[in-house]
Amino acid sequence: MTNNELQNYMLQQILDSNYHNGVYNLRVDGVSIDRQDNKYVKIIQKKDKQGIDIFVKANTKKQTIYIPVLILSGGINDLVYNDFHIESNCEVVIVAGCGIHNHTDHNSEHNGIHTFYIDKNSKVTYIEKHFGHGENIGKKNLSPVTSVYLGENSTMNMSSIQMEGVDYAVRLTKAELQKKSTFVVKEKILTQHYQFADSIFDVVLQGEDASTKIQSRAVAKDNSKQEFHSNVVGQCKSFGHIECDAIITDKANIIAIPQIQALDTDARLIHEASIGKIAGEQLNKLLTLGLDEKQAEDFIIKGFLS
């Protein structure tokens, strides 16, 4: 596979669409190699450190911003700071996929520090996909940090997906919500072999009628390990719901620690967590349809993570 073929293959794994059709910044092996913006969205290279500032003008609608990152070599340690400044009354989609290919004996790592400043009455859909590829002892590691500051009556819907190939990931997500703002997270994680993944959520409901819902679905296979930590703080009349569901197979290990703190009598907070193996009746039903045990397990897991 040539370098261009590898690059295109990795982009296909982390992006649903052709990023050239929108605003984008493509970063490969620690360097921004291609960029496009327009009159609604401006992308400016930072001068004091690695990363970019993305400015979205007020009243911008129907814009998609792609910021894919690829690591295609072994021994790369990439740290980047991306700040998103979303003015009022906007509606945008941001896709921040990260793909690591490592076919060497040296570890590769990407750490993306993303900060969102979302002004009042704006809505942001944020999608991040993580994918690892390559067979060798060199690790493919990720430690992203996402910080979200939501203005009055603003919304952020976040989708975080890690399905294959990442050896080590610690994902920290922090959010502060003002009056009538909403923060929704849907997370899907699959680990296998000896992989490790840790998801940490820290959400503060600062403004009246702010709300958050965090939903995590995880599958740990083989000898892999996962941890889930969350803390939602209600400082006033607000609503928070944490939901963590996980399937464990083989000799895997999962720890789930959801935490809620009500600092006001009108803060309504809920947490749920469940971990278990695939139900026997589910397996038996599929076995009667002609699937073998592995096919049946894969079918159930795919449905659980869909």
Side-chain angles (χ1 to χ4, degrees):
M1 189 181 294
T2 67
N3 284 340
N4 283 339
E5 289 173 339
L6 177 60
Q7 178 174 303
N8 290 334
Y9 170 76
M10 295 297 289
L11 285 170
Q12 289 172 7
Q13 305 310 307
I14 60 176
L15 301 180
D16 287 333
S17 306
N18 183 349
Y19 69 92
H20 285 100
N21 290 332
V23 174
Y24 65 86
N25 183 87
L26 174 59
R27 184 177 178 87
V28 178
D29 285 349
V31 179
S32 292
I33 66 168
D34 196 10
R35 179 179 300 160
Q36 176 173 284
D37 57 14
N38 59 28
K39 65 180 181 180
Y40 305 106
V41 182
K42 295 299 179 185
I43 301 176
I44 300 174
Q45 189 75 33
K46 289 184 179 294
K47 295 181 179 180
D48 57 338
K49 53 189 172 183
Q50 289 292 317
I52 52 177
D53 284 289
I54 299 95
F55 296 91
V56 181
K57 291 183 178 181
N59 303 306
T60 294
K61 309 288 184 181
K62 297 181 180 180
Q63 291 289 308
T64 301
I65 304 163
Y66 299 93
I67 53 167
V69 171
L70 300 180
I71 303 294
L72 303 180
S73 306
I76 298 290
N77 193 338
D78 185 30
L79 174 62
V80 62
Y81 297 84
N82 295 331
D83 294 342
F84 300 82
H85 308 267
I86 316 295
E87 294 185 0
S88 59
N89 302 304
C90 293
E91 188 169 332
V92 297
V93 177
I94 299 169
V95 183
C98 175
I100 300 180
H101 170 81
N102 190 359
H103 202 60
T104 75
D105 296 339
H106 304 287
N107 295 346
S108 286
E109 182 169 347
H110 170 72
N111 299 322
I113 314 300
H114 292 172
T115 304
F116 293 83
Y117 303 96
I118 304 173
D119 211 340
K120 61 182 181 181
N121 302 321
S122 284
K123 181 178 180 180
V124 174
T125 299
Y126 177 55
I127 303 167
E128 59 171 21
K129 293 185 178 181
H130 299 118
F131 174 73
H133 179 260
E135 299 293 334
N136 217 312
I137 63 173
K139 303 297 184 182
K140 299 168 285 292
N141 301 334
L142 292 161
S143 292
V145 177
T146 304
S147 298
V148 181
Y149 300 93
L150 282 164
E152 183 177 339
N153 199 42
S154 61
T155 300
M156 182 165 179
N157 293 314
M158 177 177 174
S159 175
S160 181
I161 303 170
Q162 178 183 313
M163 288 291 103
E164 184 179 346
V166 178
D167 293 295
Y168 178 90
V170 176
R171 185 179 294 100
L172 172 60
T173 303
K174 302 180 291 183
E176 295 180 6
L177 281 65
Q178 300 304 316
K179 183 178 180 180
K180 294 184 179 180
S181 62
T182 303
F183 182 53
V184 178
V185 180
K186 291 186 177 181
E187 175 187 70
K188 299 176 184 179
I189 298 179
L190 171 66
T191 55
Q192 54 192 348
H193 310 308
Y194 289 89
Q195 296 167 356
F196 173 78
D198 186 6
S199 296
I200 306 165
F201 294 93
D202 190 357
V203 179
V204 182
L205 305 171
Q206 296 180 337
E208 189 170 286
D209 293 320
S211 64
T212 187
K213 182 173 182 179
I214 299 169
Q215 181 188 69
S216 176
R217 289 199 168 186
V219 175
K221 303 169 68 175
D222 304 320
N223 292 281
S224 66
K225 182 178 180 179
Q226 292 190 34
E227 296 184 10
F228 174 87
H229 303 84
S230 63
N231 183 35
V232 173
V233 181
Q235 295 185 344
C236 54
K237 179 187 175 185
S238 53
F239 175 77
H241 185 190
I242 306 168
E243 179 184 339
C244 174
D245 293 319
I247 290 176
I248 187 171
T249 69
D250 308 309
K251 296 182 179 180
N253 185 324
I254 295 181
I255 299 171
I257 307 174
Q259 178 174 295
I260 50 179
Q261 298 182 58
L263 306 183
D264 187 280
T265 56
D266 288 322
R268 188 161 63 96
L269 308 176
I270 304 166
H271 74 70
E272 305 173 74
S274 64
I275 303 172
K277 64 180 181 180
I278 295 173
E281 59 269 23
Q282 290 179 294
L283 277 175
N284 290 335
K285 183 176 181 179
L286 292 173
L287 292 175
T288 61
L289 297 176
L291 278 67
D292 62 34
E293 187 167 343
K294 184 180 185 309
Q295 290 173 326
E297 280 194 1
D298 289 345
F299 184 86
I300 293 169
I301 288 171
K302 183 177 180 180
F304 177 74
L305 293 174
S306 62

